[in-house]
Amino acid sequence: MLTKISPFLLCALCAAPACAADWSDTALGYRVGRHYAEPFNPSYIGKNIVSLTHVRGGAYGSDYVNLDVLKSDHVDSHATEAYLLYRHTFSLGERFGLTAGADFNWKNDPGYGSKKRMLVLGPTLKVPVNGLLNVSIYALWESNRPVGVTERYHYDTHPMLNAVWALPVESGWTFEGYMNYIAAKGLDEFGTQTSPELNIDAQLMYDFSNAVGMKPGRVKAGFEYQYWRNKFGNPHRIPGSTAKTPMLRAEYHF
């Protein structure tokens, strides 16, 4: 890599034996936007999001842990959400890995109140490019227990196609992001057929570390845009099921 990339992308990159020496990175992030969307809410939502990320790796693979804490404005009932994600990638050679992990979330909005649990397992392919491009296929075992549901509901096991990239653009700049295509997961907990969802999150980030007198890779900021169709598997006809969200993003690496 020509430049330092985000912790998530480093996790994917260092599934290969090239990262034989142990290493770790911890980062505090912040992003803000005013055009978030939530299913069944027809209005734009403002959110402030703080993230704490830790990633470490070695000869046999890597670990990635990320906690997002999201605070909505009045349009989303001033809701607070926490989303915890963990991934471990086992190295299976220079170009392949096996990734396993889990997602957990909790949100206190009165309309749905998500309490998601999800297990993830699948292979990862590292594509040889100038930078990083990883492609994975996962099986997802997802469940939830929202407001009005007395027992935890388990969706059908379903696949996800995931791509992660970090590509150098100019000196100090990287084009980073991910794409998730998630197949329909059967009926939801209310008996409605779910739809396939597409989530693309792209970032153009600049390393400001030299400008503030720090080592390269310490301070990054830039622009982010997320397109999320059929969010959480809700059909496109439902208001708020498609998000088109520009954001400002900043990261500090300890």
Side-chain angles (χ1 to χ4, degrees), residues 23 128 135 190 214 249 252:
W23 57 270
V135 179
F190 304 109
M214 295 184 177
R249 182 185 184 100
Y252 176 77

PDB file of all heavy atoms in Angstrom, residues 23 128 135 190 214 249 252:
ATOM      1  N   TRP A  23       0.777  -6.603  14.751  1.00  0.00           N
ATOM      2  CA  TRP A  23       0.535  -5.167  14.694  1.00  0.00           C
ATOM      3  C   TRP A  23      -0.873  -4.909  15.206  1.00  0.00           C
ATOM      4  O   TRP A  23      -1.699  -5.815  15.304  1.00  0.00           O
ATOM      5  CB  TRP A  23       0.668  -4.646  13.251  1.00  0.00           C
ATOM      6  CG  TRP A  23      -0.260  -5.348  12.302  1.00  0.00           C
ATOM      7  CD1 TRP A  23      -0.006  -6.479  11.592  1.00  0.00           C
ATOM      8  CD2 TRP A  23      -1.619  -5.011  12.032  1.00  0.00           C
ATOM      9  NE1 TRP A  23      -1.108  -6.861  10.877  1.00  0.00           N
ATOM     10  CE2 TRP A  23      -2.116  -5.975  11.110  1.00  0.00           C
ATOM     11  CE3 TRP A  23      -2.452  -3.983  12.441  1.00  0.00           C
ATOM     12  CZ2 TRP A  23      -3.415  -5.936  10.622  1.00  0.00           C
ATOM     13  CZ3 TRP A  23      -3.748  -3.951  11.948  1.00  0.00           C
ATOM     14  CH2 TRP A  23      -4.217  -4.926  11.049  1.00  0.00           C
ATOM     15  N   PRO A 128      -5.475  -9.078  -6.829  1.00  0.00           N
ATOM     16  CA  PRO A 128      -4.226  -8.315  -6.978  1.00  0.00           C
ATOM     17  C   PRO A 128      -4.449  -7.016  -7.754  1.00  0.00           C
ATOM     18  O   PRO A 128      -4.715  -7.028  -8.966  1.00  0.00           O
ATOM     19  CB  PRO A 128      -3.315  -9.284  -7.758  1.00  0.00           C
ATOM     20  CG  PRO A 128      -4.247 -10.195  -8.476  1.00  0.00           C
ATOM     21  CD  PRO A 128      -5.455 -10.336  -7.621  1.00  0.00           C
ATOM     22  N   VAL A 135     -12.911  -9.512  -2.093  1.00  0.00           N
ATOM     23  CA  VAL A 135     -14.276  -9.931  -2.387  1.00  0.00           C
ATOM     24  C   VAL A 135     -14.598 -11.161  -1.544  1.00  0.00           C
ATOM     25  O   VAL A 135     -13.814 -12.117  -1.507  1.00  0.00           O
ATOM     26  CB  VAL A 135     -14.456 -10.250  -3.884  1.00  0.00           C
ATOM     27  CG1 VAL A 135     -15.878 -10.710  -4.162  1.00  0.00           C
ATOM     28  CG2 VAL A 135     -14.104  -9.033  -4.742  1.00  0.00           C
ATOM     29  N   PHE A 190     -43.068  -9.938  10.782  1.00  0.00           N
ATOM     30  CA  PHE A 190     -44.478  -9.559  10.676  1.00  0.00           C
ATOM     31  C   PHE A 190     -45.162 -10.228   9.492  1.00  0.00           C
ATOM     32  O   PHE A 190     -46.294  -9.887   9.145  1.00  0.00           O
ATOM     33  CB  PHE A 190     -44.596  -8.037  10.567  1.00  0.00           C
ATOM     34  CG  PHE A 190     -43.932  -7.313  11.709  1.00  0.00           C
ATOM     35  CD1 PHE A 190     -42.752  -6.601  11.507  1.00  0.00           C
ATOM     36  CD2 PHE A 190     -44.462  -7.359  12.988  1.00  0.00           C
ATOM     37  CE1 PHE A 190     -42.130  -5.948  12.555  1.00  0.00           C
ATOM     38  CE2 PHE A 190     -43.841  -6.704  14.049  1.00  0.00           C
ATOM     39  CZ  PHE A 190     -42.670  -5.994  13.831  1.00  0.00           C
ATOM     40  N   MET A 214       1.871  15.577  12.857  1.00  0.00           N
ATOM     41  CA  MET A 214       1.830  14.212  13.372  1.00  0.00           C
ATOM     42  C   MET A 214       2.382  13.238  12.342  1.00  0.00           C
ATOM     43  O   MET A 214       2.567  13.579  11.174  1.00  0.00           O
ATOM     44  CB  MET A 214       0.398  13.817  13.740  1.00  0.00           C
ATOM     45  CG  MET A 214      -0.189  14.604  14.882  1.00  0.00           C
ATOM     46  SD  MET A 214      -1.849  13.986  15.339  1.00  0.00           S
ATOM     47  CE  MET A 214      -2.206  15.040  16.738  1.00  0.00           C
ATOM     48  N   ARG A 249     -16.605  12.938   7.265  1.00  0.00           N
ATOM     49  CA  ARG A 249     -16.021  11.884   8.089  1.00  0.00           C
ATOM     50  C   ARG A 249     -14.620  12.286   8.534  1.00  0.00           C
ATOM     51  O   ARG A 249     -13.863  12.892   7.776  1.00  0.00           O
ATOM     52  CB  ARG A 249     -15.957  10.576   7.282  1.00  0.00           C
ATOM     53  CG  ARG A 249     -15.409   9.391   8.036  1.00  0.00           C
ATOM     54  CD  ARG A 249     -15.271   8.164   7.121  1.00  0.00           C
ATOM     55  NE  ARG A 249     -14.826   7.003   7.865  1.00  0.00           N
ATOM     56  CZ  ARG A 249     -15.628   6.037   8.283  1.00  0.00           C
ATOM     57  NH1 ARG A 249     -16.913   6.083   8.000  1.00  0.00           N
ATOM     58  NH2 ARG A 249     -15.150   5.014   8.967  1.00  0.00           N
ATOM     59  N   TYR A 252      -9.165   9.665  13.948  1.00  0.00           N
ATOM     60  CA  TYR A 252      -7.889   9.843  14.649  1.00  0.00           C
ATOM     61  C   TYR A 252      -7.383   8.482  15.077  1.00  0.00           C
ATOM     62  O   TYR A 252      -8.097   7.729  15.748  1.00  0.00           O
ATOM     63  CB  TYR A 252      -8.027  10.744  15.873  1.00  0.00           C
ATOM     64  CG  TYR A 252      -6.752  10.858  16.650  1.00  0.00           C
ATOM     65  CD1 TYR A 252      -5.708  11.664  16.200  1.00  0.00           C
ATOM     66  CD2 TYR A 252      -6.551  10.129  17.828  1.00  0.00           C
ATOM     67  CE1 TYR A 252      -4.514  11.755  16.893  1.00  0.00           C
ATOM     68  CE2 TYR A 252      -5.358  10.200  18.517  1.00  0.00           C
ATOM     69  CZ  TYR A 252      -4.348  11.025  18.049  1.00  0.00           C
ATOM     70  OH  TYR A 252      -3.171  11.103  18.728  1.00  0.00           O
TER      71      TYR A 252
END
